[in-house]
Amino acid sequence: MRKDFGAKPYTYPQPVLMIATYGEDGKPDVMNAAWGGISDDKEISICVSENHKTTENILKKGAFTVSMADVEHMTACDYVGIVSGNKEPDKFVKAGFTAEKSEKVDAPIIKELPICIECKLKSYDKDTCRLIGEIVNVSVDESVLDENGNVDVAKAAPITFDPFNNAYIRLGEKVGDAFKAGMALK
């Protein structure tokens, strides 16, 4: 037996993406977005409406960063998803974030969040709210790397959005090796 939920944006898990930009005044801005993901090998797509301060900044600057929200900063990441940059111009600082200018694009890296995708604006469709960014670089704080220089997901402690229960979920447990586990069925 299955239960129908109807046509809903329910996929699991959904990343909690922190989109950061600079305004024309040079102030950093950030918003929380869960509707996004990789859409090509060097491309990220995010659904974000044009009425956000962040969207306005992206269209003017042509650049943005996308950081992965983590357990340690969940409250701050949730705050910037609730509060509008159009109403609270200092929400980046009020959230407790520190901006570090990206060397690759004209956008801030959030120092407190260890994983960051640095992007140039590729396109934006205001009718569908689809923002597409060209991935220029991925930078990772060394504190979340393992002894081989790879990201240790347990150290990074990223969170995802659970749309079924309106909750954040911590990632971190390895359950198998991709592109190897299925070999047992051959």
Side-chain angles (χ1 to χ4, degrees):
M1 187 72 144
R2 298 178 72 86
K3 177 180 177 182
D4 290 336
F5 283 86
K8 305 268 187 198
Y10 288 0
T11 59
Y12 185 77
Q14 291 183 356
V16 180
L17 306 173
M18 305 306 298
I19 308 167
T21 61
Y22 284 123
E24 286 185 303
D25 59 1
K27 278 188 176 181
D29 176 66
V30 62
M31 71 173 285
N32 175 325
W35 292 3
I38 300 301
S39 53
D40 201 352
D41 66 336
K42 290 184 182 175
E43 184 179 279
I44 188 166
S45 296
I46 304 168
C47 182
V48 57
S49 63
E50 67 178 321
N51 63 337
H52 291 285
K53 177 71 173 158
T54 304
T55 308
E56 178 185 320
N57 291 345
I58 292 169
L59 295 175
K60 288 180 180 173
K61 293 282 190 171
F64 59 100
T65 60
V66 179
S67 295
M68 308 301 119
D70 64 11
V71 170
E72 183 179 350
H73 302 95
M74 180 193 71
T75 301
C77 292
D78 192 54
Y79 168 78
V80 299
I82 296 168
V83 175
S84 169
N86 290 318
K87 295 179 181 174
E88 176 52 69
D90 292 322
K91 75 175 186 172
F92 190 98
V93 173
K94 284 189 175 185
F97 290 136
T98 309
E100 177 181 307
K101 182 157 179 25
S102 164
E103 293 180 14
K104 310 288 183 187
V105 297
D106 188 12
I109 292 174
I110 302 170
K111 288 176 76 170
E112 291 75 13
L113 300 177
I115 301 172
C116 180
I117 302 170
E118 299 162 74
C119 304
K120 288 183 183 175
L121 175 63
K122 194 169 182 182
S123 66
Y124 180 71
D125 184 329
K126 66 179 182 178
D127 294 328
T128 63
C129 300
R130 185 172 181 213
L131 170 74
I132 299 176
E134 174 191 349
I135 299 171
V136 175
N137 186 47
V138 176
S139 61
V140 179
D141 189 281
E142 291 179 0
S143 67
V144 299
L145 300 180
D146 65 16
E147 61 279 354
N148 298 316
N150 297 313
V151 173
D152 180 334
V153 71
K155 288 180 182 178
I159 58 174
T160 63
F161 176 65
D162 173 358
F164 291 96
N165 299 294
N166 208 31
Y168 294 118
I169 307 294
R170 178 192 175 134
L171 294 177
E173 181 184 357
K174 180 179 176 181
V175 296
D177 291 315
F179 308 111
K180 292 181 184 176
M183 295 301 286
L185 299 177
K186 280 190 156 190

